[in-house]
Amino acid sequence: MSKAENSFVSGIKIVFTDRDFRTIFISLFIIGLSVGGFMPYLTVWATNTLHATSFQAGFLFVPMSIIGLIVSFYLASLSDKWGKRKPFII
């Protein structure tokens, strides 16, 4: 097993053996499912209710992506400054 595969497997073991990481994993999984299921309906709603084109409805997601990117970089810089990441995640 390569070094990358070994670290991936050990990461999975940590997630499922540590209660806090398991809780974070389940929370993020449910959030991902809900966002993934909600986006197509939002696009259909925008085209029917607001009479937007498909391009305009899809363009609604651009600000959300940009804000998510900015917030991710900000939180990553905070976690790097604080040292240990586990308390920051919790």
Side-chain angles (χ1 to χ4, degrees):
M1 193 178 298
S2 72
K3 187 175 181 181
E5 291 171 341
N6 192 18
S7 64
F8 178 72
V9 171
S10 65
I12 290 176
K13 288 179 186 175
I14 291 171
V15 167
F16 289 109
T17 55
D18 189 352
R19 181 178 162 265
D20 296 328
F21 283 135
R22 190 172 46 239
T23 304
I24 292 170
F25 171 77
I26 292 170
S27 300
L28 291 176
F29 182 73
I30 292 171
I31 290 169
L33 284 177
S34 62
V35 169
F38 177 71
M39 284 183 167
Y41 292 110
L42 180 63
T43 307
V44 171
W45 173 82
T47 55
N48 291 338
T49 306
L50 302 176
H51 304 292
T53 64
S54 299
F55 176 78
Q56 291 169 334
F59 203 72
L60 291 172
F61 300 116
V62 172
M64 182 177 67
S65 301
I66 293 171
I67 291 170
L69 186 65
I70 291 169
V71 168
S72 296
F73 283 132
Y74 177 70
L75 290 177
S77 68
L78 280 180
S79 71
D80 288 340
K81 290 178 187 174
W82 284 5
K84 291 187 175 184
R85 294 178 185 214
K86 186 174 179 180
F88 183 79
I89 292 172
I90 294 170

